[in-house]
Amino acid sequence: MILEPVYNKAYDFEEYGWAVVQWEHGFDYINQYGEVMLDIPYHSVGKLYEFGLVRFEENELSGVMNTNGEVVVPAVYDWVNLYNLEFYSWIMVEKDEKFGLVDTEGNVIVEPIYDDISMDSYSEVFGEEVAITIESGDKKGIVDSSGAVHLYDELGEFSKNGLAKVKIDGKAGFIDKEGNMVVGLVWDDAFDFEDCGVAWIWKDNKYGLIDIQGNVIAEPTWEYVSGFYESETTIIGNNGKYGFINKNGEVFIEPQYDWVTGFKGKIEKTE
């Protein structure tokens, strides 16, 4: 036995290398030798993350302290979420069923006035970064790296090229995770970018294709289109007839068939 059973309650050692134990007066974090590394005289304590911060509760409100015992976020929130620090340098907070963001020194970055905030990791999109999405009423948007909020009538999913569809006043375009309008609001509608780097756009009841710079590679011509999915070709159709187009906007089989299935892989138009 390494440590004697002298605590009211004890928990497993965490990735930081300390374990939390409970006494009559509150909680301590101890090392493997039983030495007190951090005294927490509060009603409840959360997980100590490897970046050296832990959530605590006082008078049924949540705050954050560091491994020196210093309170870095005062206990004024209904909840604080430290999990996000694995992906971003801000802490999600909740107050009166509204959400906001603070930094690791307790400075308010985004006031807790929003209906929802999501810090989903897009590791396959942005590497180690994330896109922070936000909701307010019927609006959705993003929080850029300065803490500014950008709201839109609609917000799509960020694709592998780092762009997401947005709509304002009935017109669609594409933004990056900083809220920069990469593709202007010129389309009646649009669909999220495909893995092959193109997106279907909708104009005057017809579909066309654009690339990630917003260049039109196939004019809005088609009444019916399908997604590329894992292929570089897909189906197009007009007047009940169907053919095929590739990701370069080249129609290599004109719409002429009553019914078709999709190709898989890479097919190029040849002369």
Side-chain angles (χ1 to χ4, degrees), residues 8-271:
N8 290 14
K9 188 177 290 187
Y11 299 86
D12 292 335
F13 279 88
E14 299 177 358
E15 57 210 30
Y16 195 80
W18 297 352
V20 64
V21 295
Q22 185 175 358
W23 301 89
E24 296 292 340
H25 71 279
F27 299 85
D28 286 335
Y29 265 99
I30 62 172
N31 63 17
Q32 60 182 327
Y33 304 108
E35 299 168 334
V36 174
M37 307 303 294
L38 176 62
D39 178 58
I40 304 176
Y42 299 114
H43 302 141
S44 179
V45 63
K47 175 181 178 180
L48 176 60
Y49 283 86
E50 58 186 5
F51 33 79
L53 295 176
V54 61
R55 178 188 60 82
F56 70 89
E57 290 187 13
E58 183 179 25
N59 300 322
E60 299 185 351
L61 294 174
S62 294
V64 179
M65 64 190 307
N66 62 24
T67 53
N68 295 321
E70 301 166 335
V71 173
V72 295
V73 178
V76 296
Y77 300 104
D78 298 327
W79 185 254
V80 296
N81 188 347
L82 294 177
Y83 170 76
N84 305 298
L85 286 174
E86 295 185 10
F87 308 105
Y88 217 86
S89 58
W90 297 333
I91 300 167
M92 187 190 304
V93 296
E94 180 182 356
K95 183 72 173 177
D96 299 327
E97 299 184 348
K98 298 292 184 179
F99 297 89
L101 298 169
V102 301
D103 64 18
T104 54
E105 296 180 352
N107 301 307
V108 175
I109 304 300
V110 176
E111 292 286 346
I113 59 174
Y114 295 95
D115 298 325
D116 191 26
I117 292 179
S118 175
M119 289 176 139
D120 300 324
S121 173
Y122 291 90
S123 58
E124 74 277 14
V125 179
F126 301 124
E128 296 300 320
E129 302 176 10
V130 297
I132 305 178
T133 58
I134 198 164
E135 293 185 20
S136 179
D138 59 354
K139 303 284 188 180
K140 294 184 177 181
I142 59 105
V143 182
D144 67 26
S145 59
S146 73
V149 174
H150 306 257
L151 290 174
Y152 311 96
D153 298 331
E154 292 183 25
L155 173 67
E157 296 287 336
F158 280 94
S159 59
K160 286 186 177 181
N161 57 36
L163 302 183
K165 182 196 87 170
V166 295
K167 288 190 77 174
I168 299 176
D169 297 331
K171 292 296 182 181
F174 290 86
I175 61 165
D176 62 19
K177 71 183 184 70
E178 290 294 311
N180 300 309
M181 193 68 67
V182 179
V183 178
L185 298 164
V186 297
W187 307 110
D188 297 336
D189 206 349
F191 297 84
D192 295 331
F193 269 92
E194 307 267 3
D195 288 350
C196 62
V198 298
W200 288 111
I201 47 84
W202 177 255
K203 183 80 169 180
D204 298 329
N205 298 318
K206 301 284 186 178
Y207 293 100
L209 273 178
I210 62 171
D211 62 19
I212 60 175
Q213 285 79 38
N215 301 312
V216 176
I217 57 177
E219 293 290 340
T221 306
W222 316 107
E223 297 171 354
Y224 171 88
V225 297
S226 181
F228 285 83
Y229 306 111
E230 295 181 359
S231 176
E232 294 187 355
T233 66
T234 193
I235 302 167
I236 52 174
N238 271 337
N239 301 317
K241 300 295 183 180
Y242 302 94
F244 296 90
I245 193 171
N246 64 23
K247 70 171 187 176
N248 299 318
E250 299 168 331
V251 177
F252 60 92
I253 298 178
E254 292 287 344
Q256 56 189 289
Y257 301 105
D258 295 332
W259 178 84
V260 296
T261 60
F263 286 101
K264 289 186 177 180
K266 183 176 181 180
I267 299 176
E268 300 287 351
K269 181 178 179 181
T270 58
E271 297 298 331

